[in-house]
Amino acid sequence: MLLGKKIAVTMPAYYAAKTVGKTVADIPREYVDIVILVDDASKDDTFATAQALGISVFRNEKNLNYGGNVKRCLQLALDAGADIVIQLHPDYQYPPKVTLPMAAMLATGYHDLVLGARTSGKGARGTMPFWRYLPNRLLTMVMGWCFGVSHSEFHTGCRGYTRKLLETVPFHEFRNDFIFDNQMLIGALRHDFATSEVTCPTVYEEDSSSIPFSKALRYGIQCLKISIPYFFERITSGKK
């Protein structure tokens, strides 16, 4: 509980058996009321390993893909009565302690969506592979222009939402692939929810999850396909 708000940390998991233990261990449990992990039909020991950690663990009988798994995570958090939901990947790429400042940003009532920005400040320079860092910065610049909001990055998987936002934005209608997170952002902007960010250090280790270059390229194209139409939607609707 934080400022009277019930906090849930949700973890969309896929082949996370090696990292989920240390991820859960670093979550600030004195403020987090519930930790929910959904294993997306991994064929390793993710499900069993997570069950032994004393958190709420669920398993998809068939793979729902990234977006589909996040949808289930978010809905389970709402069903558990969470006022604030933090999305944290269990591969330890995002430091779990950052969930506290993210939750605090949302608990103040000034914002409804917070991004854990890896490129804020010094950010991921020196830790994020250059072939990921440079496209991230360029794509973020274009998308910020389209969205009419300024953030250090839009591609982080570490995000936080208020209950009000999740009950307003029809997230179950969005795609089940990696573009889901940015569809959520556009949905929030369409409903005039305030967005924010916190600096999120990042660690790229051997066990950290990472999509291959071909999928990253496809993701970048998808970002442009949803961002450019939203730019014209924003302009024609009179939004700044």
mmCIF file of all heavy atoms in Angstrom, residues 116-143:
data_model
loop_
_atom_site.group_PDB
_atom_site.id
_atom_site.type_symbol
_atom_site.label_atom_id
_atom_site.label_comp_id
_atom_site.label_asym_id
_atom_site.label_seq_id
_atom_site.Cartn_x
_atom_site.Cartn_y
_atom_site.Cartn_z
ATOM 1 N N GLY A 116 9.086 3.546 -17.514
ATOM 2 C CA GLY A 116 10.428 3.366 -16.978
ATOM 3 C C GLY A 116 11.413 3.570 -18.105
ATOM 4 O O GLY A 116 11.730 2.649 -18.860
ATOM 5 N N ALA A 117 11.893 4.793 -18.269
ATOM 6 C CA ALA A 117 12.660 5.190 -19.451
ATOM 7 C C ALA A 117 14.131 4.816 -19.316
ATOM 8 O O ALA A 117 14.842 5.352 -18.460
ATOM 9 C CB ALA A 117 12.516 6.690 -19.696
ATOM 10 N N ARG A 118 14.600 3.919 -20.178
ATOM 11 C CA ARG A 118 15.986 3.454 -20.133
ATOM 12 C C ARG A 118 16.960 4.464 -20.709
ATOM 13 O O ARG A 118 18.156 4.399 -20.439
ATOM 14 C CB ARG A 118 16.110 2.130 -20.897
ATOM 15 C CG ARG A 118 15.301 0.995 -20.305
ATOM 16 C CD ARG A 118 15.206 -0.159 -21.266
ATOM 17 N NE ARG A 118 14.449 0.198 -22.446
ATOM 18 C CZ ARG A 118 14.273 -0.607 -23.488
ATOM 19 N NH1 ARG A 118 14.815 -1.816 -23.490
ATOM 20 N NH2 ARG A 118 13.552 -0.217 -24.524
ATOM 21 N N THR A 119 16.485 5.394 -21.511
ATOM 22 C CA THR A 119 17.377 6.346 -22.168
ATOM 23 C C THR A 119 17.316 7.733 -21.530
ATOM 24 O O THR A 119 17.863 8.686 -22.061
ATOM 25 C CB THR A 119 17.038 6.458 -23.669
ATOM 26 O OG1 THR A 119 15.664 6.811 -23.816
ATOM 27 C CG2 THR A 119 17.304 5.139 -24.378
ATOM 28 N N SER A 120 16.649 7.852 -20.396
ATOM 29 C CA SER A 120 16.613 9.115 -19.652
ATOM 30 C C SER A 120 17.956 9.331 -18.948
ATOM 31 O O SER A 120 18.538 8.394 -18.402
ATOM 32 C CB SER A 120 15.482 9.081 -18.627
ATOM 33 O OG SER A 120 15.511 10.204 -17.795
ATOM 34 N N GLY A 121 18.440 10.578 -18.949
ATOM 35 C CA GLY A 121 19.745 10.846 -18.356
ATOM 36 C C GLY A 121 20.832 10.082 -19.090
ATOM 37 O O GLY A 121 20.817 9.952 -20.307
ATOM 38 N N LYS A 122 21.769 9.543 -18.345
ATOM 39 C CA LYS A 122 22.781 8.693 -18.960
ATOM 40 C C LYS A 122 22.147 7.419 -19.460
ATOM 41 O O LYS A 122 22.550 6.856 -20.481
ATOM 42 C CB LYS A 122 23.904 8.383 -17.961
ATOM 43 C CG LYS A 122 25.036 7.577 -18.565
ATOM 44 C CD LYS A 122 26.138 7.328 -17.546
ATOM 45 C CE LYS A 122 27.263 6.489 -18.168
ATOM 46 N NZ LYS A 122 28.345 6.220 -17.196
ATOM 47 N N GLY A 123 21.145 6.960 -18.709
ATOM 48 C CA GLY A 123 20.319 5.849 -19.147
ATOM 49 C C GLY A 123 21.094 4.624 -19.574
ATOM 50 O O GLY A 123 21.987 4.159 -18.879
ATOM 51 N N ALA A 124 20.751 4.132 -20.760
ATOM 52 C CA ALA A 124 21.263 2.850 -21.222
ATOM 53 C C ALA A 124 22.568 2.952 -21.994
ATOM 54 O O ALA A 124 23.067 1.945 -22.479
ATOM 55 C CB ALA A 124 20.206 2.179 -22.095
ATOM 56 N N ARG A 125 23.119 4.162 -22.114
ATOM 57 C CA ARG A 125 24.390 4.273 -22.824
ATOM 58 C C ARG A 125 25.457 3.443 -22.111
ATOM 59 O O ARG A 125 25.695 3.586 -20.929
ATOM 60 C CB ARG A 125 24.829 5.733 -22.913
ATOM 61 C CG ARG A 125 24.075 6.528 -23.968
ATOM 62 C CD ARG A 125 24.555 7.965 -24.010
ATOM 63 N NE ARG A 125 24.172 8.686 -22.782
ATOM 64 C CZ ARG A 125 24.510 9.947 -22.537
ATOM 65 N NH1 ARG A 125 25.254 10.621 -23.384
ATOM 66 N NH2 ARG A 125 24.115 10.533 -21.417
ATOM 67 N N GLY A 126 26.079 2.575 -22.849
ATOM 68 C CA GLY A 126 27.094 1.709 -22.282
ATOM 69 C C GLY A 126 26.570 0.356 -21.858
ATOM 70 O O GLY A 126 27.346 -0.563 -21.613
ATOM 71 N N THR A 127 25.236 0.221 -21.749
ATOM 72 C CA THR A 127 24.655 -1.074 -21.391
ATOM 73 C C THR A 127 23.760 -1.617 -22.504
ATOM 74 O O THR A 127 23.776 -2.813 -22.782
ATOM 75 C CB THR A 127 23.839 -0.970 -20.094
ATOM 76 O OG1 THR A 127 22.818 0.017 -20.257
ATOM 77 C CG2 THR A 127 24.725 -0.598 -18.917
ATOM 78 N N MET A 128 22.970 -0.765 -23.138
ATOM 79 C CA MET A 128 22.127 -1.211 -24.252
ATOM 80 C C MET A 128 22.971 -1.341 -25.517
ATOM 81 O O MET A 128 23.731 -0.427 -25.843
ATOM 82 C CB MET A 128 20.975 -0.219 -24.485
ATOM 83 C CG MET A 128 20.008 -0.651 -25.594
ATOM 84 S SD MET A 128 18.718 0.589 -25.946
ATOM 85 C CE MET A 128 17.739 0.514 -24.452
ATOM 86 N N PRO A 129 22.872 -2.449 -26.233
ATOM 87 C CA PRO A 129 23.616 -2.593 -27.485
ATOM 88 C C PRO A 129 23.329 -1.427 -28.431
ATOM 89 O O PRO A 129 22.185 -0.973 -28.546
ATOM 90 C CB PRO A 129 23.085 -3.913 -28.056
ATOM 91 C CG PRO A 129 22.603 -4.670 -26.856
ATOM 92 C CD PRO A 129 22.063 -3.640 -25.910
ATOM 93 N N PHE A 130 24.371 -0.945 -29.118
ATOM 94 C CA PHE A 130 24.227 0.254 -29.943
ATOM 95 C C PHE A 130 23.184 0.073 -31.035
ATOM 96 O O PHE A 130 22.456 1.014 -31.357
ATOM 97 C CB PHE A 130 25.576 0.623 -30.570
ATOM 98 C CG PHE A 130 25.542 1.903 -31.352
ATOM 99 C CD1 PHE A 130 25.467 3.129 -30.704
ATOM 100 C CD2 PHE A 130 25.548 1.883 -32.746
ATOM 101 C CE1 PHE A 130 25.420 4.319 -31.428
ATOM 102 C CE2 PHE A 130 25.505 3.063 -33.471
ATOM 103 C CZ PHE A 130 25.443 4.287 -32.813
ATOM 104 N N TRP A 131 23.086 -1.144 -31.579
ATOM 105 C CA TRP A 131 22.121 -1.372 -32.667
ATOM 106 C C TRP A 131 20.688 -1.269 -32.158
ATOM 107 O O TRP A 131 19.761 -1.097 -32.941
ATOM 108 C CB TRP A 131 22.348 -2.727 -33.336
ATOM 109 C CG TRP A 131 21.974 -3.938 -32.513
ATOM 110 C CD1 TRP A 131 22.788 -4.653 -31.684
ATOM 111 C CD2 TRP A 131 20.695 -4.585 -32.471
ATOM 112 N NE1 TRP A 131 22.094 -5.695 -31.110
ATOM 113 C CE2 TRP A 131 20.810 -5.684 -31.576
ATOM 114 C CE3 TRP A 131 19.464 -4.342 -33.087
ATOM 115 C CZ2 TRP A 131 19.741 -6.539 -31.292
ATOM 116 C CZ3 TRP A 131 18.399 -5.185 -32.802
ATOM 117 C CH2 TRP A 131 18.545 -6.271 -31.917
ATOM 118 N N ARG A 132 20.513 -1.322 -30.838
ATOM 119 C CA ARG A 132 19.197 -1.094 -30.244
ATOM 120 C C ARG A 132 19.038 0.352 -29.781
ATOM 121 O O ARG A 132 17.964 0.946 -29.900
ATOM 122 C CB ARG A 132 18.979 -2.034 -29.052
ATOM 123 C CG ARG A 132 18.903 -3.498 -29.386
ATOM 124 C CD ARG A 132 18.890 -4.337 -28.123
ATOM 125 N NE ARG A 132 17.724 -4.072 -27.318
ATOM 126 C CZ ARG A 132 16.651 -4.873 -27.247
ATOM 127 N NH1 ARG A 132 16.634 -6.000 -27.950
ATOM 128 N NH2 ARG A 132 15.616 -4.567 -26.487
ATOM 129 N N TYR A 133 20.123 0.923 -29.238
ATOM 130 C CA TYR A 133 20.059 2.257 -28.654
ATOM 131 C C TYR A 133 19.748 3.332 -29.697
ATOM 132 O O TYR A 133 18.840 4.155 -29.509
ATOM 133 C CB TYR A 133 21.377 2.576 -27.948
ATOM 134 C CG TYR A 133 21.402 3.931 -27.285
ATOM 135 C CD1 TYR A 133 20.849 4.111 -26.019
ATOM 136 C CD2 TYR A 133 21.974 5.032 -27.919
ATOM 137 C CE1 TYR A 133 20.862 5.352 -25.403
ATOM 138 C CE2 TYR A 133 21.996 6.275 -27.313
ATOM 139 C CZ TYR A 133 21.436 6.425 -26.052
ATOM 140 O OH TYR A 133 21.440 7.667 -25.459
ATOM 141 N N LEU A 134 20.478 3.320 -30.815
ATOM 142 C CA LEU A 134 20.298 4.363 -31.825
ATOM 143 C C LEU A 134 18.899 4.329 -32.451
ATOM 144 O O LEU A 134 18.226 5.377 -32.507
ATOM 145 C CB LEU A 134 21.380 4.259 -32.900
ATOM 146 C CG LEU A 134 21.324 5.328 -34.001
ATOM 147 C CD1 LEU A 134 21.445 6.728 -33.395
ATOM 148 C CD2 LEU A 134 22.418 5.097 -35.044
ATOM 149 N N PRO A 135 18.404 3.167 -32.912
ATOM 150 C CA PRO A 135 17.038 3.150 -33.441
ATOM 151 C C PRO A 135 16.001 3.549 -32.394
ATOM 152 O O PRO A 135 15.000 4.196 -32.719
ATOM 153 C CB PRO A 135 16.845 1.696 -33.880
ATOM 154 C CG PRO A 135 18.222 1.178 -34.120
ATOM 155 C CD PRO A 135 19.078 1.869 -33.096
ATOM 156 N N ASN A 136 16.237 3.169 -31.130
ATOM 157 C CA ASN A 136 15.329 3.549 -30.058
ATOM 158 C C ASN A 136 15.197 5.066 -29.990
ATOM 159 O O ASN A 136 14.092 5.614 -29.942
ATOM 160 C CB ASN A 136 15.856 2.989 -28.726
ATOM 161 C CG ASN A 136 14.929 3.249 -27.542
ATOM 162 O OD1 ASN A 136 14.441 4.350 -27.336
ATOM 163 N ND2 ASN A 136 14.719 2.226 -26.739
ATOM 164 N N ARG A 137 16.338 5.758 -30.010
ATOM 165 C CA ARG A 137 16.328 7.214 -29.905
ATOM 166 C C ARG A 137 15.662 7.870 -31.121
ATOM 167 O O ARG A 137 14.870 8.804 -30.981
ATOM 168 C CB ARG A 137 17.762 7.728 -29.760
ATOM 169 C CG ARG A 137 18.475 7.235 -28.510
ATOM 170 C CD ARG A 137 17.869 7.804 -27.252
ATOM 171 N NE ARG A 137 18.257 9.202 -27.037
ATOM 172 C CZ ARG A 137 17.726 9.981 -26.118
ATOM 173 N NH1 ARG A 137 16.763 9.542 -25.344
ATOM 174 N NH2 ARG A 137 18.153 11.225 -25.966
ATOM 175 N N LEU A 138 15.985 7.373 -32.310
ATOM 176 C CA LEU A 138 15.419 7.964 -33.524
ATOM 177 C C LEU A 138 13.918 7.722 -33.614
ATOM 178 O O LEU A 138 13.145 8.631 -33.940
ATOM 179 C CB LEU A 138 16.130 7.383 -34.759
ATOM 180 C CG LEU A 138 17.611 7.738 -34.907
ATOM 181 C CD1 LEU A 138 18.213 7.001 -36.096
ATOM 182 C CD2 LEU A 138 17.793 9.244 -35.072
ATOM 183 N N LEU A 139 13.508 6.486 -33.315
ATOM 184 C CA LEU A 139 12.088 6.151 -33.376
ATOM 185 C C LEU A 139 11.302 6.916 -32.319
ATOM 186 O O LEU A 139 10.186 7.388 -32.573
ATOM 187 C CB LEU A 139 11.914 4.643 -33.202
ATOM 188 C CG LEU A 139 10.548 4.038 -33.541
ATOM 189 C CD1 LEU A 139 10.140 4.376 -34.969
ATOM 190 C CD2 LEU A 139 10.587 2.523 -33.340
ATOM 191 N N THR A 140 11.882 7.075 -31.153
ATOM 192 C CA THR A 140 11.231 7.839 -30.094
ATOM 193 C C THR A 140 11.037 9.295 -30.502
ATOM 194 O O THR A 140 9.991 9.898 -30.222
ATOM 195 C CB THR A 140 12.064 7.762 -28.792
ATOM 196 O OG1 THR A 140 12.029 6.419 -28.290
ATOM 197 C CG2 THR A 140 11.516 8.707 -27.733
ATOM 198 N N MET A 141 12.022 9.870 -31.168
ATOM 199 C CA MET A 141 11.921 11.255 -31.619
ATOM 200 C C MET A 141 10.738 11.423 -32.581
ATOM 201 O O MET A 141 9.931 12.357 -32.451
ATOM 202 C CB MET A 141 13.214 11.693 -32.295
ATOM 203 C CG MET A 141 13.211 13.126 -32.790
ATOM 204 S SD MET A 141 14.807 13.616 -33.496
ATOM 205 C CE MET A 141 14.885 12.511 -34.928
ATOM 206 N N VAL A 142 10.627 10.519 -33.537
ATOM 207 C CA VAL A 142 9.535 10.590 -34.519
ATOM 208 C C VAL A 142 8.188 10.385 -33.833
ATOM 209 O O VAL A 142 7.218 11.115 -34.090
ATOM 210 C CB VAL A 142 9.747 9.541 -35.632
ATOM 211 C CG1 VAL A 142 8.534 9.506 -36.566
ATOM 212 C CG2 VAL A 142 11.001 9.848 -36.422
ATOM 213 N N MET A 143 8.128 9.400 -32.943
ATOM 214 C CA MET A 143 6.867 9.101 -32.277
ATOM 215 C C MET A 143 6.437 10.232 -31.345
ATOM 216 O O MET A 143 5.252 10.550 -31.247
ATOM 217 C CB MET A 143 6.989 7.777 -31.512
ATOM 218 C CG MET A 143 7.122 6.568 -32.424
ATOM 219 S SD MET A 143 7.468 5.027 -31.536
ATOM 220 C CE MET A 143 5.922 4.787 -30.665
#
